[in-house]
Amino acid sequence: MDKRKLKRAAELIDRAGHILVFAGSGLSAESGIPTFRGEDGMYSNPDVLRYAHADALREEPEAALAWFQKMRDMIDDYEPNPGHYALARICAERDCTIATQNVDRLLESAFLREGLTKEGIWHLHGSLFRSRCDVCDEPLEEPPTDYTAAECDECGGIIRPDVTLFGEMLPEAPYLRAQGAAHVADVVLLLGTSGIVYPAATIPGLARSHGAKLIEINPNPTELSEIADVVIRGKTGEVLPEIDRLLA
Ligand code: NAD
Ligand code: ZN
């Protein structure tokens, strides 16, 4: 790891009035959750393309709901990795907006287990651990234990995970939050994201046009590398703990 770049990243974070974290599936990769486009990525799994599409809920709801149930139960078994914990420690004491494209809740778990609190972790593509009615949009306080057997108390509609499926729009509130943070952020941390899923991928460029410094942490080059001010080629589970140590 390039010590000079780590130091530069830590300095920028330390001096920042506001920090925007823009995270993607690479942040959870070291927990064991496959990324989207990696070698064993979810994109190569035909079930993902079939059931993570809005059409499946309309055309084959029972199969789609059974698949969501399987995904949620599977993802629930994973644990936060050192990158999640370090990020929680870095953000807890600082003015920081976290916008993640991930639908897991590993970052929330990391905050909780570190005994830290965070007002909001904004899920740009929703979360598998929240649910709502597919018909009237009514959110549920607790996701059902079994999606295939649940229905909406208000209208009898299907209960689905509150995630953005292919063919659907992003939820407005998290996107507006991330855009707002992009206007005021001094530093943006680009963590484990390829930067090719739109419209989320417009956020880093927006922040940069408002003067933010971009720090990319990713073992591979991405669409965002060119506009990043500091590029650290490494895994978030290894780099973020180093930065956290420098900040301590
Ligand atoms: P992506 O698959 O397009 O890109 C993943 C990026 O992570 C790549 O650039 C890769 O080089 C990098 N990466 C891999 N291992 C890493 C590590 N250990 N440390 C740091 N970086 C690492 O993912 P994306 O940009 O998040 O976009 C894909 C979409 O897929 C997102 O919208 C997200 O909603 C969804 N998704 C979510 C999860 C999850 O919730 N954990 C998992 C897969 C896909
Ligand atoms: Zn309903």
Side-chain angles (χ1 to χ4, degrees):
M1 241 180 284
D2 186 332
K3 291 246 159 58
R4 212 172 28 91
K5 286 187 180 177
L6 288 174
K7 206 161 156 253
R8 170 93 178 116
E11 275 166 9
L12 285 171
I13 292 169
D14 208 24
R15 280 208 309 261
H18 190 82
I19 299 165
L20 169 60
V21 173
F22 183 72
S25 61
L27 180 63
S28 296
E30 286 155 275
S31 294
I33 304 181
T35 60
F36 226 48
R37 294 180 180 77
E39 248 170 56
D40 303 315
M42 297 197 184
Y43 242 28
S44 53
N45 177 343
D47 277 358
V48 172
L49 297 181
R50 175 170 172 190
Y51 294 124
H53 198 287
D55 288 348
L57 261 186
R58 315 282 112 74
E59 289 162 11
E60 40 180 346
E62 278 177 19
L65 291 171
W67 183 76
F68 287 136
Q69 181 74 31
K70 196 173 84 180
M71 288 299 286
R72 191 188 65 186
D73 292 346
M74 183 190 87
I75 286 189
D76 208 15
D77 284 342
Y78 292 104
E79 299 282 335
N81 67 56
H84 294 108
Y85 289 117
L87 185 62
R89 291 191 298 270
I90 291 168
C91 288
E93 298 289 310
R94 295 183 168 81
D95 187 6
C96 182
T97 300
I98 300 180
T100 178
Q101 297 163 90
N102 295 345
V103 296
D104 62 52
R105 57 174 170 187
L106 295 180
L107 203 42
E108 281 90 341
S109 299
F111 271 97
L112 210 66
R113 292 192 199 173
E114 287 281 303
L116 303 168
T117 47
K118 180 86 199 84
E119 216 179 76
I121 294 173
W122 298 92
H123 287 265
L124 295 165
H125 297 155
S127 166
L128 267 178
F129 297 89
R130 292 195 314 246
S131 44
R132 63 179 163 88
C133 172
D134 189 45
V135 179
C136 72
D137 259 358
E138 191 65 29
L140 263 70
E141 292 228 342
E142 281 289 318
T145 42
D146 180 2
Y147 274 112
T148 58
E151 64 175 38
C152 175
D153 287 341
E154 304 293 320
C155 76
I158 284 175
I159 300 299
R160 57 169 283 178
D162 192 11
V163 290
T164 311
L165 302 172
F166 296 118
E168 292 183 330
M169 306 273 280
L170 295 199
E172 206 172 19
Y175 191 59
L176 289 177
R177 272 296 181 134
Q179 274 187 324
H183 281 82
V184 296
D186 302 298
V187 166
V188 184
L189 298 178
L190 306 168
L191 307 178
T193 180
S194 59
I196 53 180
V197 180
Y198 280 84
T202 58
I203 301 289
L206 179 66
R208 189 169 195 267
S209 70
H210 283 85
K213 297 280 187 213
L214 271 44
I215 302 171
E216 177 176 75
I217 305 175
N218 196 313
N220 303 303
T222 74
E223 293 292 311
L224 300 169
S225 302
E226 255 185 35
I227 60 165
D229 298 275
V230 182
V231 175
I232 302 177
R233 287 275 166 257
K235 297 178 173 179
T236 41
E238 292 168 5
V239 176
L240 286 170
E242 288 293 329
I243 293 178
D244 180 41
R245 266 190 285 278
L246 289 172
L247 287 166

